[in-house]
Amino acid sequence: MYPLQLSAFTLTTCLGQGVQANREALRAERSGLKPCDFESVALETWIGAVDGVDAVQLPAHLSRFDCRNNRLVQMGLQADGFAEQVKRATQRYGADRVGVFLGTSTAGILQTELAYRRRDPETGALPADFDYGGSHNAFSLAAFAREYLGLEGMAMAISTACSSSAKVYAAAARQIALGTIDAAVVGGVDSLCLTTLYGFASLQLTSTQPCRPYDPSRDGLSIGEGAGFALLERAEGAAPGSVMLLGVGESSDAHHMSAPHPEGLGARMAMAAALKAAGLVAADIDYINLHGTATPANDAAEGLAVAAEFGRRVPCNSTKGATGHTLGAAGAIEAVICAMALIDGRLPGSPGTQQLDPGLDLNYAQHGSDAPLKRALSNSFGFGGSNCSMILGVQA
């Protein structure tokens, strides 16, 4: 099944639109977080908002998809010439042989929140111009991306909270292996909305400060928004230096609705499964991009799992202090950050982390540094114990 080539990739976060903007911000160890000023939200917390989303205009014939989430989808697809590279793949394989696999946690739920303010005062009916299928439905972003890109292959949306857009890589790889498609647009998009901001706050999971992953004083996450995309194709003919998907591992804690297994059992199982899928051992990994949400429970559980599987040898850190936690888009965005690290030969830093939790025995990289990297592992863990780890590498 593996390897597969990431023949194109892009990301848009609060650090900027496209690879170069994010590369420069990560190299400068700059955070894109700011005090929350989103919509009508009155919470003492920090967010990672993408500039310019509301100014995006969808094509007129796709107006039924109009919502903040799909504007962010379009903004992401336009970065780095990604949509043009998908068009060229379509010319190689045919529109019906290129699939779409996207992850999200809330899709365009903001559009429903706004529609509720305009309900009929007598009947309570939602406004006539509200299109649930085009905006709020979890499949809306995959449907929009499929039409925007002119694709006719199978399309799928995965919504498993914060593991969503990592799991799409596994889903797409299975379909390529089965021969139902020849290439796949994989990725994830999640945008800010009142539900996630108030929801995570009600669970006491948001910090009043910029998040501090793996810091002993960490007290919660900073919600972000963003988009990450990659084009997956078979590896035949991949040029040296190409970024490859080497393996994906998935597991379920079956432990708790919102809390991770305290010893990180499911997380360790996902990492072990990814290594097995790639035909690698722990010593083959050069960098781990941690899920690292900066909640006390997540970092403790993941830290124990990483220490048990990899010991202190492998440099690791979380980049959520730079981008915020982009929830269902996090897996796709952090896969691209790993791809950038492999190409650039540079570990990213961990903005926000002031010191490492002494209870976690890890080789945690607070600051970026140049390093020869051949393989990187990215962790994404979601509510309900939905875990996914993926391994990317550089073609020799």
Side-chain angles (χ1 to χ4, degrees), residues 101 196 253:
F101 301 77
T196 50
D253 282 9

Side-chain angles (χ1 to χ4, degrees), residues 111-137:
Q111 202 69 11
T112 303
E113 295 168 348
L114 298 175
Y116 261 73
R117 296 177 183 170
R118 299 190 290 125
R119 284 179 298 169
D120 186 291
E122 295 185 1
T123 67
L126 291 168
D129 60 359
F130 171 66
D131 188 323
Y132 173 84
S135 58
H136 182 152
N137 188 286

Side-chain angles (χ1 to χ4, degrees), residues 72-222:
L72 186 50
V73 171
Q74 180 171 304
M75 194 172 179
L77 291 172
Q78 290 177 334
D80 297 310
F82 185 81
E84 290 302 312
Q85 295 184 71
V86 174
K87 183 178 181 181
R88 286 194 282 275
T90 303
Q91 292 168 347
R92 288 196 296 276
Y93 301 117
D96 61 341
R97 299 293 298 173
V98 182
V100 176
F101 301 77
L102 299 182
T104 189
S105 66
T106 55
I109 195 171
L110 175 66
Q111 202 69 11
T112 303
E113 295 168 348
L114 298 175
Y116 261 73
R117 296 177 183 170
R118 299 190 290 125
R119 284 179 298 169
D120 186 291
E122 295 185 1
T123 67
L126 291 168
D129 60 359
F130 171 66
D131 188 323
Y132 173 84
S135 58
H136 182 152
N137 188 286
F139 186 68
S140 61
L141 75 167
F144 170 66
R146 189 170 185 256
E147 292 200 31
Y148 181 81
L149 295 168
L151 302 178
E152 300 174 5
M154 68 180 299
M156 177 187 297
I158 291 180
S159 186
T160 54
C162 307
S163 64
S164 302
S165 61
K167 292 172 75 70
V168 298
Y169 277 78
R174 284 190 285 269
Q175 294 304 320
I176 292 174
L178 287 168
T180 56
I181 52 175
D182 293 313
V185 173
V186 295
V189 182
D190 248 336
S191 49
L192 293 171
C193 64
L194 281 65
T195 298
T196 50
L197 286 164
Y198 280 110
F200 278 93
S202 70
L203 292 170
Q204 299 181 316
L205 291 176
T206 52
S207 177
T208 58
Q209 304 176 48
C211 69
R212 292 156 286 172
Y214 280 81
D215 191 295
S217 63
R218 67 186 183 276
D219 62 356
L221 49 83
S222 302

